[in-house]
Amino acid sequence: MKIIQLEYFCAVSRYHSITQAAQKLYVTQPAISSAIRELEKEFSISLFTRSKNHMTLTKEGEIFYQKANELLNTIKQTSSEFYDLGRKVTPIRIGIPPLLSTIFFPEMLIAFQKEYPDIPVELIEYASIRAANLVQEDILDLALVNMNFYEIDKLNSCQILSDQIVFCVSPEHPLAKEDAVTIEMLKDEPLIMYNTDSVQNATLDSLFESIKVKPHVLMRASQLYTIQNFVKNNLGGAFLYSSLLKNMTGLIGIPIVPTINQEIGLVWKKGKYINSSVEKYISFTGKYAETIVRN
């Protein structure tokens, strides 16, 4: 039994597919199939029930998965502890959604590196839900997320700020002079929405569903620059955090009634060993959040 075989097996268990597991791990499908066959042969066990494009764990496979997952977590935790013992500083892996990072993350990172210049940070762009899932899977150490999703209680968290979503349009838009808008008023408006795995999108989809309306989505985008250009050219309206508008010209932010409040914060996995670098970043985030509130 090899560690890599357990990693491949656990990936297939999570995604129920050799194809998806191979894509996530950036390896070939035959490599994963071979690893699973070797495990089944070594332990004289059938791990999966195979059907078209779907892999389901057998009863024995479920027990094997629990034990394998525990073993891999122990190995990762022990590796982190060894790094600490050897004083080797590994980069802190942080997931950052494109829109949220625009609000304040550059300033936050600069402040952290000024206080801890010897701790490297690796930033990776993911929307909030995906970033939170990667924290659960130990692929990321931390993630900056919109905290308004139902699985937030599965993670440790530190709130940084609270913001509101506003409806943004160009000055030429028919709604530009409105003091406020409701979701009902936007049912026929062309919309530029954020990408599909964002918490913001899930919140808005729920609001449209509550009035039994399917929104007119012109485009879904992940880059603020693209969203801004579409709105500035009066191709449609977009839902953005109000904090973004201070650095954006040519857009008008209209309050939404009732108000859509969103909490932004940092999350990390529960029950996981936290190395000294990550612990310092979490502590720093708490202090940084206090300065935002005071200002």
Side-chain angles (χ1 to χ4, degrees), residues 53-66:
N53 300 324
H54 194 81
M55 304 278 285
T56 304
L57 286 168
T58 63
K59 183 177 180 181
E60 294 80 7
E62 290 178 357
I63 297 173
F64 196 94
Y65 172 72
Q66 292 175 2

Side-chain angles (χ1 to χ4, degrees), residues 17 61 65 100 138 144 149 154 157 164 169 207 222 236 270 291:
S17 165
Y65 172 72
L100 292 184
D138 288 326
L144 179 71
F149 64 101
K154 293 183 178 180
S157 62
Q164 295 179 0
V169 297
L207 291 173
S222 61
K270 288 184 176 179
T291 64

Side-chain angles (χ1 to χ4, degrees), residues 31-64:
I32 292 182
S33 298
S34 176
I36 292 173
R37 284 196 303 269
E38 289 172 4
L39 285 174
E40 290 181 323
K41 182 178 179 180
E42 180 176 355
F43 296 104
S44 301
I45 188 174
S46 177
L47 296 172
F48 292 101
T49 300
R50 296 161 173 84
S51 59
K52 186 177 181 181
N53 300 324
H54 194 81
M55 304 278 285
T56 304
L57 286 168
T58 63
K59 183 177 180 181
E60 294 80 7
E62 290 178 357
I63 297 173
F64 196 94

Side-chain angles (χ1 to χ4, degrees), residues 24 26 92-103 105-106 109 121-135 139-140 142-145 194-195 197-198 221-227:
K24 298 293 183 182
Y26 300 101
I92 305 173
R93 302 161 298 173
I94 305 176
I96 53 170
L99 293 189
L100 292 184
S101 63
T102 307
I103 298 175
F105 201 84
L109 180 59
V121 175
E122 181 181 345
L123 306 178
I124 312 168
E125 277 197 351
Y126 289 109
S128 293
I129 296 175
R130 178 63 177 148
N133 288 337
L134 291 176
V135 168
I139 295 173
L140 296 175
L142 303 165
L144 179 71
V145 300
Y194 192 42
N195 58 6
D197 64 345
S198 72
S222 61
Q223 299 301 318
L224 183 60
Y225 176 79
T226 303
I227 296 172

Side-chain angles (χ1 to χ4, degrees), residues 6-287:
L6 297 181
E7 290 177 342
Y8 289 175
F9 162 73
C10 287
V12 175
S13 301
R14 286 194 295 269
Y15 299 113
H16 304 286
S17 165
I18 290 178
T19 301
Q20 289 189 40
Q23 291 173 348
K24 298 293 183 182
L25 296 174
Y26 300 101
V27 298
T28 64
Q29 294 182 42
I32 292 182
S33 298
S34 176
I36 292 173
R37 284 196 303 269
E38 289 172 4
L39 285 174
E40 290 181 323
K41 182 178 179 180
E42 180 176 355
F43 296 104
S44 301
I45 188 174
S46 177
L47 296 172
F48 292 101
T49 300
R50 296 161 173 84
S51 59
K52 186 177 181 181
N53 300 324
H54 194 81
M55 304 278 285
T56 304
L57 286 168
T58 63
K59 183 177 180 181
E60 294 80 7
E62 290 178 357
I63 297 173
F64 196 94
Y65 172 72
Q66 292 175 2
K67 298 295 184 182
N69 203 41
E70 289 174 4
L71 180 58
L72 288 175
N73 286 336
T74 299
I75 291 170
K76 289 178 181 177
Q77 178 173 323
T78 303
S79 295
S80 295
E81 292 171 351
F82 284 165
Y83 277 124
D84 275 0
L85 287 174
R87 296 183 179 179
K88 180 177 180 179
V89 182
T90 56
I92 305 173
R93 302 161 298 173
I94 305 176
I96 53 170
L99 293 189
L100 292 184
S101 63
T102 307
I103 298 175
F104 62 87
F105 201 84
E107 291 81 4
M108 183 178 179
L109 180 59
I110 291 170
F112 177 77
Q113 292 184 329
K114 184 177 180 180
E115 187 167 340
Y116 299 103
D118 296 327
I119 299 179
V121 175
E122 181 181 345
L123 306 178
I124 312 168
E125 277 197 351
Y126 289 109
S128 293
I129 296 175
R130 178 63 177 148
N133 288 337
L134 291 176
V135 168
Q136 288 280 50
E137 295 173 15
D138 288 326
I139 295 173
L140 296 175
D141 299 305
L142 303 165
L144 179 71
V145 300
N146 180 322
M147 298 171 65
N148 297 81
F149 64 101
Y150 70 98
E151 292 187 322
I152 189 67
D153 290 340
K154 293 183 178 180
L155 297 159
N156 289 320
S157 62
C158 169
Q159 183 174 329
I160 300 174
L161 60 82
S162 181
D163 205 345
Q164 295 179 0
I165 294 177
V166 295
F167 186 62
C168 297
V169 297
S170 75
E172 293 78 31
H173 194 281
L175 296 174
K177 294 183 180 180
E178 295 287 339
D179 293 328
V181 294
T182 63
I183 294 298
E184 176 74 26
M185 292 170 63
L186 306 178
K187 62 182 180 181
D188 297 320
E189 292 294 327
L191 304 175
I192 295 91
M193 301 284 280
Y194 192 42
N195 58 6
T196 53
D197 64 345
S198 72
V199 175
Q200 176 181 308
N201 242 36
T203 300
L204 293 166
D205 286 344
S206 176
L207 291 173
F208 278 108
E209 287 174 8
S210 70
I211 60 171
K212 296 179 172 58
V213 167
K214 183 176 181 180
H216 175 197
V217 180
L218 177 66
M219 182 184 71
R220 296 185 184 273
S222 61
Q223 299 301 318
L224 183 60
Y225 176 79
T226 303
I227 296 172
Q228 183 179 6
N229 274 345
F230 268 71
V231 175
K232 286 177 69 174
N233 286 285
N234 202 22
L235 294 172
F239 298 94
L240 297 174
Y241 298 107
S242 61
S243 301
L244 290 172
L245 294 180
K246 62 182 180 181
N247 297 320
M248 301 173 69
T249 59
L251 269 63
I252 294 174
I254 309 171
I256 300 172
V257 179
T259 302
I260 306 175
N261 292 313
Q262 304 281 271
E263 285 68 47
I264 312 303
L266 194 71
V267 297
W268 61 99
K269 188 175 181 179
K270 288 184 176 179
K272 176 186 175 182
Y273 169 77
I274 301 296
N275 66 40
S276 59
S277 295
V278 175
E279 187 175 5
K280 287 174 182 175
Y281 197 95
I282 294 170
S283 177
F284 172 84
T285 298
K287 293 184 291 183

